[in-house]
Amino acid sequence: METVKLNNGVEMPILGYGVYQVTPEECERCVLDALSVGYRSIDTAQAYFNEEGVGNALVKSGIPRSEVFITTKVWISNGGYEKAKASIDESLRKLQSDYIDLLLIHQPFNDYYGTYRAMEEACKAGKARAIGVSNFYPDRFIDLAEFCEIKPAVNQVETHVFNQQIKPQKIMERYGTRVMSWGPFAEGRNDFFTNEVLKTIGEKYGKSVAQTALRFLIQRGVIVIPKSTHKERMIQNMEVFDFVLTEEDMQAIAGLDKAKSLFFSHYDPEMVKWLIDLVK
């Protein structure tokens, strides 16, 4: 497994397993499957309601805690210094761990400045090895990054071939912040899995559309966390380190970029209200 070095020197696998939309009942099995086939990075969140499944799987796997990189995220309802501080301890309890490898603010709403201060404190106390944000657009990202003490190590944002985050990535690089992709397969939107550009390029290497898309992101230094509940697909998603896309391939895929979300906008008041009301 290839790794990336975060801006504080922590090494993180560039490919991990995400458990978004994995039910609490399924999560333990899925994470055990992922760990059994070689994944060593697991991405969860308070709002996924499956941190306990991740924790149970980690304990049952018998793999030393130091060999597995765990990411979780503080939800909007736990925003602000005091609530965030308590929620971090609750996440640690559910994950059955003394520390979180990467701790993120899930959404840029509520008192995320207070949340970030609690996360900085957790980092200094050894409860988090690295901290960062998720779903922060460049304007809010810069505002936080300029006035915080510990620069965000990661910004986890919608990143796939149709929304490649080229300009935001350059902005984040000024602060040493890595782009981490959620939705690397665009959740199948825009006929992702039958895209002719990805299909034609993949066929040259004996690879699938999904593998080609993951390889494209990895070659750009983007951290990816594809999700699947099927063990055979988990294995396929890991088989992306035995080929390299040419510059011509990369340029062809770059041409698919529309530079806009296929899902939602944080500038949409109705979407903001929906997110805030989602988990209270």
Side-chain angles (χ1 to χ4, degrees), residues 203-218:
E203 284 171 352
K204 293 196 301 182
Y205 305 98
K207 297 295 180 178
S208 68
V209 164
Q211 289 167 326
T212 304
L214 288 176
R215 184 67 211 176
F216 171 76
L217 295 176
I218 287 169

Side-chain angles (χ1 to χ4, degrees), residues 255-275:
L256 298 174
D257 190 19
K258 302 300 181 187
K260 62 181 181 180
S261 174
L262 294 184
F263 296 88
F264 54 74
S265 170
H266 281 146
Y267 298 131
D268 176 2
E270 293 304 316
M271 176 53 65
V272 173
K273 185 67 167 65
W274 181 81
L275 283 167

Side-chain angles (χ1 to χ4, degrees), residues 12 36 66 70 84 95 126 128 140 147 149 153 212 237 240 257:
M12 177 180 184
S36 74
S66 60
I70 302 294
L95 292 166
R140 295 199 181 200
F147 297 104
E149 184 180 348
T212 304
N237 290 339
V240 291
D257 190 19

